[in-house]
C-alpha cells in the first residue's frame, strides 16, 4: 500500500490527495457536530476581497479551503491512479491530475452553491434572529466600515448572516454576540458582544 502511494514519484500526488481528503473528512465531521471549528474564512477573506466565503450562499468562493481541498483530493487520487495503473509517465499523469482536480473543484463549488441556495430558500426568516445569541465567524468591523459574518442557531438550524455593529471597536472571530436589530431589507443583523455574566 505504501509503495503504491509513495514509490516512483507517486508521493507528488499522494500527499496532496491525503491532505485534501483529510481536510474534507474533518470539515464534514465537524460540520455535522455543529462545529464550524475548521477555519475556512481566513483564506477566503485573503483570497477574495469581496468576502465570497462559504457563508455567502450563491457567492461560494472558488478559492475556499473546501474547494481547494476538493481539487487536491480529486487531482491527487487521479494522479496516483494515472501513474500507477496506466502506461502514462509522470508528466502525463500530472496533466491528468490537474485536469481532474479542476473538474472536481469546479463540481464541488457548483454543488455547494446549489446546496447553499436551497438552504437560503428555506422558511427561516432573518427576522427570527432578533434577541438570539450567536458566534462571530468573520470579524465584524467597526460601525459603518463593512460587514462581518455571525453564526446563529435559529429555529433549530445553524445559519450564517451578514452582521454589522454600532461600536467603534471590531468584534473578533469566535466572540459570543447577541442580535439586537435586524435589517430585513438589507439581509443583515446588528449585533453586540454579550456581556460576561
Amino acid at each position: 500500500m505504501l509503495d503504491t502511494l509513495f514509490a516512483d514519484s507517486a508521493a507528488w500526488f499522494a500527499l496532496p490527495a491525503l491532505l485534501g481528503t483529510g481536510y474534507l473528512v474533518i470539515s464534514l465531521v465537524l460540520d455535522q457536530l455543529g462545529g464550524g471549528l475548521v477555519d475556512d474564512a481566513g483564506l477566503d477573506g485573503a483570497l477574495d476581497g469581496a468576502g465570497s466565503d462559504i457563508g455567502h450562499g450563491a457567492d461560494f468562493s472558488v478559492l475556499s479551503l473546501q474547494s481547494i481541498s476538493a481539487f487536491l483530493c480529486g487531482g491527487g487520487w487521479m494522479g496516483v491512479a494515472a501513474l500507477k495503473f496506466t502506461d502514462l509517465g509522470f508528466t502525463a499523469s500530472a496533466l491528468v491530475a490537474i485536469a481532474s482536480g479542476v473538474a472536481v473543484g469546479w463540481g464541488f463549488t457548483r454543488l455547494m452553491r446549489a446546496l447553499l441556495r436551497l438552504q437560503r430558500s428555506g422558511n427561516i426568516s432573518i427576522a427570527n434572529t432578533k434577541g438570539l445569541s450567536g458566534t462571530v465567524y468573520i470579524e465584524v468591523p467597526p460601525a459603518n466600515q463593512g460587514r462581518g459574518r455571525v453564526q446563529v442557531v435559529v429555529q433549530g438550524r445553524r445559519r450564517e448572516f451578514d452582521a454589522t455593529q454600532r461600536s467603534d471597536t471590531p468584534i473578533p472571530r469566535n466572540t459570543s454576540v447577541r442580535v439586537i436589530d435586524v435589517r430585513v431589507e438589507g439581509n443583515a443583523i446588528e449585533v453586540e458582544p454579550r456581556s460576561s455574566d
Side-chain angles (χ1 to χ4, degrees):
M1 175 73 176
L2 290 178
D3 285 345
T4 302
L5 292 179
F6 297 107
D8 300 328
S9 303
W12 286 100
F13 305 117
L15 289 175
L18 292 170
L19 287 172
T21 304
Y23 180 86
L24 288 175
V25 169
I26 290 169
S27 180
L28 177 66
V29 169
L30 290 178
D31 191 50
Q32 291 303 310
L33 294 175
L37 300 177
V38 178
D39 180 11
D40 193 48
L43 183 63
D44 289 335
L47 294 174
D48 187 356
S52 297
D53 58 90
I54 190 169
H56 284 266
D59 295 330
F60 182 85
S61 175
V62 173
L63 294 176
S64 69
L65 285 180
Q66 282 90 353
S67 61
I68 292 171
S69 295
F71 169 84
L72 294 174
C73 177
W77 291 124
M78 286 303 294
V80 169
L83 187 65
K84 290 297 183 176
F85 304 115
T86 68
D87 291 331
L88 299 176
F90 180 81
T91 303
S93 296
L95 293 174
V96 168
I98 291 169
S100 301
V102 168
V104 171
W106 178 82
F108 181 83
T109 301
R110 297 275 300 191
L111 176 64
M112 289 305 297
R113 285 179 175 168
L115 290 174
L116 290 170
R117 268 195 299 271
L118 285 174
Q119 183 183 46
R120 283 189 164 205
S121 68
N123 57 2
I124 294 179
S125 171
I126 193 172
N128 295 338
T129 62
K130 190 167 183 178
L132 296 178
S133 296
T135 304
V136 175
Y137 182 63
I138 297 176
E139 180 180 276
V140 181
N144 302 316
Q145 294 187 25
R147 295 179 174 189
R149 295 288 287 176
V150 171
Q151 294 178 342
V152 179
V153 176
V154 54
Q155 294 174 232
R157 292 183 168 175
R158 183 171 53 110
R159 294 284 191 252
E160 290 181 17
F161 299 97
D162 286 336
T164 60
Q165 62 156 327
R166 297 177 186 166
S167 170
D168 293 329
T169 306
I171 304 175
R173 182 171 157 74
N174 294 327
T175 301
S176 181
V177 293
R178 186 173 63 89
V179 180
I180 58 173
D181 197 10
V182 175
R183 295 190 193 99
V184 177
E185 66 284 350
N187 199 31
I189 59 177
E190 186 171 306
V191 296
E192 66 180 9
R194 290 185 60 190
S195 57
S196 54
D197 299 329

